């Protein structure tokens, strides 16, 4: 199994907060990509790589970033023998490819023909989160259906549905649909879906079809990985849900958490 960490975002909200901060406490974060922010003793993304390596869940970690932060990620990756960094070639938020296109680019560039764990580079889970249990569940699903993919979910509050993709599932935890940031009144579900997916190698070729169908769509429709999930579900491909804890950290702006964890 391989891991792809999506790290090509430009962190516009974070950088705006840094620029507007008058206390001076966050000025050292200026220009730093969100996955490289310090969380505890190391960069946020390092926690993921260490966990993936310690559990033996994957043999290679691919990190896709942009041209603006490519050098910084290359320098960071020197500490890890199994990390490979790729630039999407963009230099501004306006020119970004979007998360789904970045995943496709990574799969094609590195000729990935294995199952893939896709992780949002600005998210981190709590210590009780178990990569091993998630992988075991994925293996169970694969034994029943090789096209199956697994995604995570956690319970959110009513007022939080408009922040996340919300999953609606059946009694077997098969995902029926994902609603993108719905009003609380638009769904009974409170199952938020973070950017952590285990995709079967059998569906990776469908990235091409999704992007081809949406080649003229606004970047927002190609940027959110959840839109690819919804597309898979609409084609009756098996996407199952695994209940987990809420993320410990999801970086959107400056926060004391960055320094205290």
């Amino acid at each position: 199994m391989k891991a792809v960490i999506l790290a090509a975002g430009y962190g516009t909200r974070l950088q705006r907060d840094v620029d507007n901060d008058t206390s001076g406490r966050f000025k050292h974060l200026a220009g730093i990509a969100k996955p490289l922010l310090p969380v505890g003793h190391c960069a946020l993304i390092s926690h993921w790589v260490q966990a993936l390596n310690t559990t033996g869940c994957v043999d290679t970690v691919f990190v896709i970033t942009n041209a603006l932060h490519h050098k910084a990620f290359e320098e960071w990756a020197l500490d890890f023998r199994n990390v490979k960094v790729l630039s999407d070639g963009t230099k501004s938020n306006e020119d970004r490819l979007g998360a789904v296109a970045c995943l496709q680019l990574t799969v094609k560039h590195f000729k990935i023909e294995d199952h893939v764990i896709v992780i949002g580079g600005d998210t981190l889970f709590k210590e009780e989160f178990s990569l091993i249990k998630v992988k075991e569940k994925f293996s169970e699903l694969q034994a029943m259906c090789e096209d199956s993919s697994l995604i995570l979910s956690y319970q959110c509050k009513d007022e939080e549905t408009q922040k996340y993709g919300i999953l609606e599932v059946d009694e077997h935890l098969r995902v029926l649909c994902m609603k993108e940031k719905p009003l609380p009144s638009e769904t009974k579900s409170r199952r938020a879906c973070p950017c952590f997916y285990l995709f079967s190698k059998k569906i990776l070729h469908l990235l091409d079809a999704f992007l081809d169908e949406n080649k003229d769509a606004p970047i927002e429709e190609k940027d959110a990985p959840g839109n690819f999930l919804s597309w898979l579900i609409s084609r009756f491909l098996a996407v199952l849900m695994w209940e987990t804890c809420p993320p410990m950290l999801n970086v959107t702006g400056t926060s004391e958490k960055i320094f205290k964890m």
Side-chain angles (χ1 to χ4, degrees):
M1 184 176 282
K2 306 293 188 288
V4 175
I5 299 180
L6 302 173
Y10 286 86
T12 51
R13 281 175 291 177
L14 172 66
Q15 294 307 316
R16 179 195 62 209
D17 287 354
V18 170
D19 293 339
N20 293 337
D21 175 56
T22 58
S23 71
R25 290 179 299 159
F26 302 108
K27 63 180 182 180
H28 62 291
L29 301 180
I32 298 179
K34 288 195 288 185
L36 295 178
L37 289 171
V39 178
H41 63 281
C42 63
L44 188 163
I45 191 174
S46 296
H47 291 280
W48 276 121
V49 176
Q50 290 166 3
L52 290 164
N53 288 341
T54 299
T55 57
C57 285
V58 302
D59 53 41
T60 311
V61 179
F62 301 107
V63 178
I64 182 157
T65 184
N66 53 58
L68 186 65
H69 295 125
H70 185 227
K71 182 179 179 181
F73 277 97
E74 287 278 17
E75 292 175 353
W76 159 82
L78 293 175
D79 291 334
F80 302 98
R81 59 173 180 75
N82 64 333
V83 172
K84 297 182 180 180
V85 178
L86 174 66
S87 169
D88 69 1
T90 69
K91 295 183 179 180
S92 71
N93 188 58
E94 292 70 30
D95 297 329
R96 69 190 188 281
L97 299 183
V100 181
C102 281
L103 176 58
Q104 179 207 39
L105 177 63
T106 307
V107 169
K108 286 183 173 294
H109 181 85
F110 292 109
K111 297 179 173 60
I112 299 174
E113 297 179 344
D114 202 350
H115 303 312
V116 175
I117 301 177
V118 179
I119 302 171
D122 58 358
T123 301
L124 197 61
F125 288 99
K126 297 179 181 178
E127 289 183 358
E128 56 261 38
F129 173 70
S130 173
L131 277 169
I132 292 176
K133 289 182 179 179
V134 174
K135 186 178 180 182
E136 288 175 349
K137 180 61 178 179
F138 179 71
S139 296
E140 290 177 17
L141 295 176
Q142 284 290 302
M144 294 185 287
C145 176
E146 292 184 348
D147 291 339
S148 296
S149 294
L150 183 66
I151 61 179
L152 301 187
S153 179
Y154 61 91
Q155 290 292 325
C156 70
K157 299 176 182 178
D158 288 354
E159 61 271 20
E160 294 178 326
T161 61
Q162 291 177 270
K163 297 180 180 179
Y164 310 112
I166 302 296
L167 303 177
E168 295 185 353
V169 302
D170 65 15
E171 65 272 20
H172 303 295
L173 299 183
R174 179 166 177 155
V175 181
L176 301 175
C177 71
M178 188 180 82
K179 296 187 175 181
E180 190 65 33
K181 301 179 180 179
L183 292 169
S185 59
E186 294 176 328
T187 177
K188 294 181 179 179
S189 175
R190 298 297 180 263
R191 298 183 183 276
C193 180
C195 187
F196 186 103
Y197 319 122
L198 286 87
F199 285 140
S200 166
K201 61 185 178 182
K202 297 288 187 179
I203 63 95
L204 294 181
H205 70 282
L206 294 175
L207 289 163
D208 294 345
F210 170 80
L211 289 169
D212 185 60
E213 284 187 20
N214 291 276
K215 60 185 176 183
D216 298 321
I219 182 63
E220 290 76 17
E221 295 185 21
K222 294 178 281 188
D223 198 8
N227 289 333
F228 178 59
L229 280 176
S230 296
W231 187 87
L232 290 176
I233 295 164
S234 71
R235 279 149 181 79
F236 305 104
L237 289 161
V239 178
L240 281 293
M241 186 209 80
W242 174 269
E243 185 103 32
T244 188
C245 55
M248 175 177 72
L249 182 63
N250 191 339
V251 181
T252 55
T254 53
S255 171
E256 294 290 344
K257 290 182 180 180
I258 294 172
F259 307 102
K260 292 184 177 179
M261 289 180 179

